[in-house]
Amino acid sequence: LFVEVVLLVSSIISKSGSSKLNYRCFETFRNWLKRSKNESEFVDILKQFTQEDLALSCCVVWSYIAKINSELYQTHKSFVLDIIVKNVIMSKRIINQVLQPESLKNIMEKVDEQDFKSTIFPSIQKAILRNPETALGLLAFMFTNLKIKLSDYSQDLSKIVGSNIKVENLQEETLKSVTAIAPLLVTSSSVETILQHLTNVYNGKEGKLTSVT
């Protein structure tokens, strides 16, 4: 029952977008986790909630755990990223309408290059290809709190944003995506790659992305 209450409160707070409430919930949970002698039992119960709405709430709690107890989080990291893929990246809903980027901040900060290359980015590519109207916002939503650099992915990223920049109802999300990507590009060549591709799209020299290899 306690786990269900934690999930419910976390869900309500994450949807509210209130940094103050989020901080108070985090502090309360941190104090409880420090005193608890049943961390493993709590986590085992937490992992049983797999339905989409509850899984999203679980993501918020896992983000708290990632901040409070990094060792505990790292033990279950692959499980958490699997939840992120299934219930955030591949969701049929526009994710920023049901979660705030701050809700996953601690998880995204702990994504390393291998996580991104093998799990996060391929899933984002597939999601955007299948349904850009729903999934394009994932770039800004997820990349805002990334700590790794994305220069090596500039070509693939340019294709993603370039394929949607001339679609009228996606231009705002595309702009947000570019804004989130830009700070993560650390080489001049990677910046040039994206700028050149976008220029070519506007000039009709580049087509839309049609497949993911």
Side-chain angles (χ1 to χ4, degrees), residues 116 143 146 148-154 157 181 184-185 190:
F116 186 81
F143 288 8
L146 275 180
I148 62 174
K149 302 307 178 183
L150 300 181
S151 295
D152 291 342
Y153 300 89
S154 59
L157 289 169
I181 292 168
L184 303 176
L185 303 176
S190 62

Side-chain angles (χ1 to χ4, degrees), residues 6 10 24 45 51 78 143 203:
V6 170
S10 301
R24 290 182 66 181
I45 296 173
Q51 294 180 348
S78 60
F143 288 8
N203 291 334

Side-chain angles (χ1 to χ4, degrees), residues 3-176:
V3 178
E4 292 178 347
V5 172
V6 170
L7 292 178
L8 177 61
V9 173
S10 301
S11 176
I12 293 171
I13 291 175
S14 67
K15 291 177 182 178
S16 75
S18 170
S19 297
K20 185 176 181 179
L21 286 176
N22 186 64
Y23 176 77
R24 290 182 66 181
C25 185
F26 167 76
E27 285 295 310
T28 301
F29 182 70
R30 180 176 67 174
N31 291 334
W32 174 84
L33 200 62
K34 282 184 176 181
R35 296 194 303 269
S36 174
K37 297 180 180 180
N38 299 307
E39 288 182 358
S40 297
E41 182 180 352
F42 177 85
V43 167
D44 288 341
I45 296 173
L46 188 64
K47 292 172 74 172
Q48 295 176 18
F49 293 92
T50 56
Q51 294 180 348
E52 185 173 14
D53 287 335
L54 289 175
L56 288 176
S57 301
C58 285
C59 289
V60 180
V61 178
W62 278 114
S63 187
Y64 290 158
I65 293 174
K67 181 71 172 180
I68 298 166
N69 190 331
S70 181
E71 184 177 352
L72 179 63
Y73 170 76
Q74 290 294 335
T75 302
H76 302 279
K77 185 179 182 180
S78 60
F79 175 83
V80 177
L81 293 182
D82 186 56
I83 293 178
I84 296 293
V85 169
K86 291 179 179 178
N87 297 284
V88 177
I89 297 177
M90 303 307 294
S91 175
K92 295 180 180 179
R93 298 183 290 183
I94 299 175
I95 200 63
N96 55 18
Q97 293 180 356
V98 293
L99 275 182
Q100 299 294 321
E102 188 71 14
S103 302
L104 302 183
K105 179 177 185 293
N106 302 313
I107 292 175
M108 297 311 299
E109 286 181 346
K110 293 185 181 298
V111 169
D112 59 31
E113 292 189 13
Q114 184 59 38
D115 298 330
F116 186 81
K117 180 179 180 180
S118 63
T119 304
I120 300 296
F121 192 51
S123 301
I124 289 177
Q125 286 179 297
K126 291 177 183 177
I128 293 177
L129 181 62
R130 291 175 182 176
N131 193 347
E133 290 80 5
T134 298
L136 186 60
L138 285 167
L139 293 181
F141 182 89
M142 303 195 73
F143 288 8
T144 298
N145 295 306
L146 275 180
K147 295 300 184 183
I148 62 174
K149 302 307 178 183
L150 300 181
S151 295
D152 291 342
Y153 300 89
S154 59
Q155 188 170 1
D156 289 326
L157 289 169
S158 67
K159 291 178 181 178
I160 290 175
V161 295
S163 66
N164 296 292
I165 198 168
K166 295 183 75 173
V167 181
E168 186 174 350
N169 64 327
L170 294 179
Q171 288 179 339
E172 183 177 352
E173 289 297 341
T174 301
L175 179 59
K176 291 179 181 178

